[in-house]
């Protein structure tokens, strides 16, 4: 009797384990993201949102699901959200902003079976004995260099203006890369840089663009979400623009020449694979041109399209005399 | 060289001062009648959104401006109802209104437009003749319509406040509502009127950003400008001239620090960014001896029969 009962228990337990196992296999991979600005900011937050949508389209909704909290510019609110998502059992929680680092260092040890990621940074907190945090950054100086080379070729005045938020992180890398690209192409060129001290002051970004144009700049670039104000001014004044972080072409197709786009797919896919294998953190990633995380798009409407249009509409006089 | 820098700084400063002027003139009227409205920034955001959305959908700038005015006036009405009729604590309800405007403008933006885009806003209006004057023309007479209106409002507000019976009654309501009431002035109606006017002008302040100066809309477009506008009311001592000086000083120094950076003058950007705030504080400290008092009944709900 006793023997029979224990057999029954073993049988039931094994069924249970099997069901749980099947359940785990079939359960989708669930990601929660906390972002500092809006998912449609045409910059940093949007780059992550677009990546998550792309991954979901590829893996299917049955295998990959994500939720997000955007506009979490108050760090203490973000910390509450991170803790909340962690206790809800998400597989991966992404704190998409370097300002969330200290919160994550506090929260991650309380949820040792949950994986966290944050950026842009290189610090996974392994030195602090925390093993469930991934780090990611964007080597934005690479695309910055490409944009700089193009900008220097296109500028007629040889003066270029850059609008940055705060002198740190991927913004600083981008600006340094841009300057290096310009200087390598035209060592006589001038690159003027303004830091406006804010990621959200659209009005000041727009006035900075105006100031650059007054100082003779005919090509502008800038990074972070407040640059939409600068793009508005560039469009009005017919000055060329180079974008970074997300594709900003749709804001002003006539003047946005090219963009460096952050595509976090390589990073996130690798994290997902590691988590499925049981590694919850400890690795630092970087988006580069080499690994396809940084993409350069060129908008053929800005110069090529404009020229074609002008010829079609007869604005360009192609009367070159007798040639044939 | 120096000339072009000066022209750049002054015309930048005039543009940057525009939204502050609208918002702080409106707030001055409300405060003089005894109502502190801290929701200015939220109303600006709603006004900015309403104007932008209307222009995206219709392309009609006048309609966009009207949408901002109506939206602002309605939110002013809401603030008046809360603070005058319901007699709620003004500071707290103003913050509530701000948070409402911040969240609602973003929600509507996401649901109706989805992505950041640009519009063709009010174009620069070169005033015939005047805009040709060397230097002065470039500084003062090559702006868009909403910039001119903002600066025209300053003398107009001064005239209304100081030279009309309405202005006198308004001050009476803000200084001693009981006395004003006994003289037959309808205190609550006066306060409703000024808070609605304040809301309307805050709406226009928002529109001056979204369809005139920036021509984009983004979540939290105003970035706290409404609060600086409220501070300017105190800075300016509840006088239109004071508002003008405050708004221009703050904006010019901001424009100056941009120039300092563009010109590659070698000081840390952090220091340049501090300049507008440091100079504002210095000026305030230097002027601390002025005897300017807030309206006596500011922030106090009116109860008939109390004294």
């Amino acid at each position: 009797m006793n023997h029979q009962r224990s057999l029954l228990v073993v049988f039931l337990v094994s069924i249970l384990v099997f069901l749980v196992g099947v359940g785990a296999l079939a359960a989708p991979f669930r990601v929660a993201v906390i972002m500092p600005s809006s998912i449609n900011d045409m910059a940093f937050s949007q780059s992550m949102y677009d990546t998550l949508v792309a991954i979901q389209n590829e893996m299917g909704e049955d295998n990959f699901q994500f939720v997000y909290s955007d506009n979490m510019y108050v760090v203490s609110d973000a910390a509450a959200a991170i803790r909340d998502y962690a206790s809800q059992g998400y597989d991966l929680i992404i704190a998409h902003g370097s300002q969330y680092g200290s919160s994550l260092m506090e929260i991650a040890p309380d949820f040792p079976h949950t994986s966290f990621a944050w950026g842009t940074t290189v610090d996974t907190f392994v030195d602090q004995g925390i093993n469930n945090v991934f780090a990611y950054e964007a080597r934005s100086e690479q695309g910055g260099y490409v944009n700089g080379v193009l900008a220097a070729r296109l500028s007629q005045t040889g003066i270029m203006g850059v609008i940055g938020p705060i002198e740190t992180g991927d913004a600083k890398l981008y600006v340094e890369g841009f300057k290096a690209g310009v200087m390598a192409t035209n060592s006589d060129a001038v690159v003027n840089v303004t830091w406006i001290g804010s990621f959200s002051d659209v009005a000041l970004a727009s006035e900075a663009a105006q100031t650059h144009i007054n100082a003779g700049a005919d090509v502008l670039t800038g990074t972070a979400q407040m640059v939409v104000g600068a793009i508005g001014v560039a469009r009005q004044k017919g000055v060329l623009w180079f974008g970074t972080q997300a594709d900003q072409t749709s804001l002003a197709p006539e003047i946005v020449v090219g963009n460096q786009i952050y595509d976090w797919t390589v990073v996130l896919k690798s994290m997902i694979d590691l988590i499925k294998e049981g590694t919850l953190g400890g690795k630092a990633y970087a988006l580069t041109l080499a690994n396809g995380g940084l993409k350069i798009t060129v908008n053929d409407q800005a110069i090529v399209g404009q020229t074609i249009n002008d010829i079609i509409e007869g604005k360009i006089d192609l009367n070159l005399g007798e040639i044939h | 060289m120096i000339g072009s820098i000066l022209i750049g700084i002054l015309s930048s400063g005039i543009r940057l001062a525009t939204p502050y002027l609208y918002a702080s003139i409106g707030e001055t009227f409300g405060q003089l009648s005894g109502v502190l409205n801290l929701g200015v920034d939220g109303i600006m955001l709603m006004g900015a959104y309403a104007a932008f959305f209307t222009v995206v959908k219709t392309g009609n700038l006048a309609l966009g401006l009207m949408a901002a005015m109506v939206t602002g006036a309605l939110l002013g009405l809401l603030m008046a109802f809360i603070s005058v009729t319901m007699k709620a604590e003004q500071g707290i309800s103003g913050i509530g209104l701000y948070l409402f405007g911040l969240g609602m403008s973003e929600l509507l933006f996401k649901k109706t437009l989805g992505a950041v885009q640009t519009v063709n806003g009010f174009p620069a209006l070169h005033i015939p003749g005047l805009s040709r004057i060397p230097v002065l023309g470039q500084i003062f007479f090559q702006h868009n319509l909403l910039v001119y209106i903002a600066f025209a409002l300053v003398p107009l507000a001064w005239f209304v406040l100081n030279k009309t019976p309405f202005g006198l009654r308004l001050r009476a309501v803000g200084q001693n509502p009981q006395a004003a009431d006994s003289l037959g002035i309808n205190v609550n109606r006066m306060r409703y009127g000024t808070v609605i006017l304040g809301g309307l002008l805050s709406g226009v302040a928002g529109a001056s950003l979204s369809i005139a100066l920036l021509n984009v809309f983004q979540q939290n477009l105003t970035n706290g400008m409404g609060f600086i506008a409220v501070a300017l009311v105190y800075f300016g001592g509840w006088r239109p001239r004071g508002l003008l000086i405050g708004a221009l000083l703050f904006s010019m120094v901001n424009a100056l620090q941009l120039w300092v950076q563009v010109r590659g003058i070698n000081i840390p950007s952090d220091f340049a960014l501090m300049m507008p705030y440091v100079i504002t504080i210095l000026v305030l400290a230097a002027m601390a001896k002025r005897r300017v008092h807030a309206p006596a009944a500011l922030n106090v709900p009116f109860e008939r029969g109390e004294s």
Side-chain angles (χ1 to χ4, degrees), chain A residues 237-261:
Chain A
K237 302 270 174 180
V239 166
L240 298 176
W241 177 267
F242 283 89
T244 183
Q245 293 186 330
D247 193 335
Q248 295 161 344
T249 306
S250 69
L251 268 176
E254 60 272 47
I255 53 112
V256 177
V257 182
N259 299 278
Q260 163 175 246
I261 298 171

Coordinates of all heavy atoms in Angstrom, one line a residue, chain A residues 237-261:
Chain A
K237 N 15.3 76.9 -43.1 CA 16.4 77.7 -43.7 C 17.1 76.9 -44.9 O 18.0 77.4 -45.4 CB 17.5 78.0 -42.6 CG 16.9 78.7 -41.4 CD 17.0 80.2 -41.7 CE 16.3 81.0 -40.5 NZ 16.4 82.4 -40.7
G238 N 16.6 75.7 -45.2 CA 17.2 75.0 -46.3 C 18.7 74.6 -46.0 O 19.5 74.6 -46.9
V239 N 19.0 74.2 -44.8 CA 20.3 73.8 -44.4 C 20.3 72.3 -44.2 O 19.3 71.7 -43.7 CB 20.7 74.5 -43.1 CG1 21.9 73.9 -42.5 CG2 20.9 76.0 -43.3
L240 N 21.4 71.6 -44.7 CA 21.4 70.1 -44.6 C 21.5 69.6 -43.2 O 22.1 70.2 -42.3 CB 22.6 69.6 -45.5 CG 22.5 70.0 -47.0 CD1 23.7 69.5 -47.7 CD2 21.2 69.4 -47.6
W241 N 21.0 68.4 -43.0 CA 21.0 67.8 -41.6 C 21.4 66.4 -41.7 O 21.1 65.6 -42.6 CB 19.6 67.9 -41.0 CG 19.5 67.2 -39.7 CD1 19.1 65.9 -39.4 CD2 19.8 67.8 -38.4 NE1 19.2 65.7 -38.1 CE2 19.6 66.8 -37.4 CE3 20.2 69.1 -38.0 CZ2 19.8 67.0 -36.1 CZ3 20.4 69.3 -36.7 CH2 20.2 68.3 -35.7
F242 N 22.2 66.0 -40.7 CA 22.6 64.6 -40.6 C 22.0 64.1 -39.2 O 22.2 64.7 -38.2 CB 24.1 64.4 -40.6 CG 24.7 64.4 -41.9 CD1 25.1 65.7 -42.5 CD2 24.8 63.3 -42.7 CE1 25.6 65.7 -43.7 CE2 25.3 63.4 -44.0 CZ 25.8 64.6 -44.5
G243 N 21.3 62.9 -39.3 CA 20.7 62.4 -38.1 C 21.4 61.3 -37.4 O 22.3 60.7 -38.0
T244 N 21.1 61.0 -36.2 CA 21.7 59.9 -35.5 C 20.7 59.3 -34.5 O 19.7 60.0 -34.2 CB 23.0 60.2 -34.8 OG1 23.5 59.0 -34.2 CG2 22.8 61.2 -33.7
Q245 N 20.9 58.1 -34.1 CA 20.0 57.3 -33.2 C 18.9 56.7 -33.9 O 18.7 55.5 -33.9 CB 19.5 58.1 -32.0 CG 20.7 58.5 -31.0 CD 20.2 59.2 -29.8 OE1 19.2 59.9 -29.8 NE2 20.9 59.1 -28.7
A246 N 18.0 57.5 -34.5 CA 16.8 56.9 -35.2 C 16.8 57.6 -36.6 O 17.5 58.6 -36.8 CB 15.5 57.1 -34.5
D247 N 16.0 57.0 -37.5 CA 15.9 57.6 -38.8 C 15.0 58.9 -38.8 O 13.8 58.8 -38.5 CB 15.2 56.6 -39.8 CG 15.4 57.0 -41.2 OD1 15.5 58.3 -41.5 OD2 15.3 56.2 -42.1
Q248 N 15.6 60.0 -39.0 CA 14.9 61.3 -38.9 C 14.5 61.9 -40.2 O 14.0 63.0 -40.3 CB 15.8 62.3 -38.1 CG 16.1 61.9 -36.7 CD 17.3 62.5 -36.0 OE1 18.1 63.1 -36.7 NE2 17.4 62.4 -34.7
T249 N 14.6 61.0 -41.3 CA 14.3 61.5 -42.6 C 12.9 62.1 -42.7 O 12.7 63.1 -43.3 CB 14.5 60.4 -43.6 OG1 15.8 59.9 -43.5 CG2 14.4 60.9 -45.0
S250 N 11.9 61.4 -42.1 CA 10.5 61.7 -42.3 C 10.2 63.1 -41.8 O 9.2 63.8 -42.2 CB 9.6 60.7 -41.7 OG 9.7 60.8 -40.3
L251 N 11.0 63.6 -40.9 CA 10.8 65.0 -40.3 C 11.0 66.1 -41.4 O 10.3 67.1 -41.4 CB 11.7 65.2 -39.2 CG 11.2 64.9 -37.8 CD1 12.3 65.1 -36.8 CD2 10.0 65.7 -37.4
A252 N 12.0 65.8 -42.2 CA 12.3 66.9 -43.3 C 13.0 66.2 -44.4 O 14.2 66.3 -44.6 CB 13.1 68.0 -42.6
P253 N 12.3 65.5 -45.2 CA 12.9 64.7 -46.3 C 13.8 65.5 -47.2 O 14.7 65.0 -47.8 CB 11.8 64.0 -47.1 CG 10.5 64.3 -46.3 CD 10.8 65.3 -45.3
E254 N 13.5 66.8 -47.3 CA 14.2 67.6 -48.3 C 15.6 68.0 -47.8 O 16.4 68.4 -48.6 CB 13.4 68.9 -48.7 CG 13.0 69.8 -47.5 CD 11.7 69.4 -46.8 OE1 11.5 68.2 -46.5 OE2 10.9 70.3 -46.6
I255 N 15.9 67.9 -46.5 CA 17.2 68.3 -46.0 C 18.0 67.3 -45.2 O 19.1 67.5 -45.0 CB 17.1 69.6 -45.2 CG1 16.1 69.5 -44.1 CG2 16.8 70.8 -46.1 CD1 16.7 69.5 -42.8
V256 N 17.3 66.2 -44.8 CA 18.0 65.2 -44.1 C 18.8 64.3 -45.1 O 18.2 63.6 -45.8 CB 17.1 64.3 -43.2 CG1 17.8 63.2 -42.5 CG2 16.3 65.1 -42.2
V257 N 20.1 64.4 -45.0 CA 20.9 63.7 -46.0 C 21.1 62.3 -45.6 O 21.0 61.4 -46.5 CB 22.3 64.4 -46.1 CG1 23.1 63.7 -47.2 CG2 22.2 65.8 -46.5
G258 N 21.4 62.0 -44.4 CA 21.7 60.6 -43.9 C 21.5 60.5 -42.5 O 21.5 61.5 -41.7
N259 N 21.4 59.2 -42.0 CA 21.2 59.0 -40.6 C 22.1 57.8 -40.2 O 22.3 56.9 -40.9 CB 19.8 58.5 -40.3 CG 18.8 59.6 -40.7 OD1 18.5 60.5 -39.9 ND2 18.2 59.5 -41.8
Q260 N 22.6 57.9 -38.9 CA 23.1 56.7 -38.3 C 22.0 56.1 -37.4 O 21.4 56.9 -36.6 CB 24.3 57.1 -37.4 CG 24.7 56.0 -36.4 CD 25.9 56.3 -35.6 OE1 26.9 55.6 -35.8 NE2 25.9 57.3 -34.8
I261 N 21.6 54.9 -37.6 CA 20.5 54.3 -36.9 C 21.0 53.2 -35.9 O 21.9 52.4 -36.3 CB 19.5 53.7 -37.9 CG1 18.9 54.7 -38.8 CG2 18.4 53.0 -37.1 CD1 18.1 54.2 -39.9

